[in-house]
Amino acid sequence: MDEIAATQLARRVDDHRQAIAERVAARLLRAFPELTHTLRLEENYGPVERMAEVAVRPLSDLIRAMLLFDALEIAETELRWARGVLPRWGVSYEHTTAMIRWYFEELGRLPVSPAERAVATEVERHLLNLMVRLYRTAEPNQHTVTV
């Protein structure tokens, strides 16, 4: 991973964290309305705000850490945990991979350099391939990834 491009991209991720989180959360809830039932809505939060808070912002933080520490492998611990816990709450492979894809679509809308775009593509592929690997161990031959 290009260290300079990764650091620049991490800065963009941080600068646009809120806007990306809200757009991805809204898209998730439109595409998968059943996710509304998995949210513990609090009095002061609407579904989009809550989804952004509990799902998209943590993904953003994970991506930023991967970029800053040049450590793609830190995603495995988080996604392995998610694979073990989230299905109990109705969050599926399809929900999580859609969130990852849509996050990177939003990130791709930002004015980024070709080097940053290459780093973003590398991170996205890594996350999606990791999802396939983690879910295949539980459900063989069910998922394939094309990025």
Side-chain angles (χ1 to χ4, degrees), residues 16-26 48 51-52 56-57 103:
H16 298 277
R17 181 175 183 247
Q18 181 68 23
I20 290 174
E22 288 175 6
R23 286 192 299 268
V24 173
V48 170
M51 179 64 73
V56 187
R57 283 191 205 119
Y103 183 91

Side-chain angles (χ1 to χ4, degrees), residues 120-131:
T121 298
E122 180 182 352
V123 173
E124 179 183 17
R125 283 186 182 146
H126 178 76
L127 289 170
L128 291 172
N129 287 328
L130 184 55
M131 286 291 297

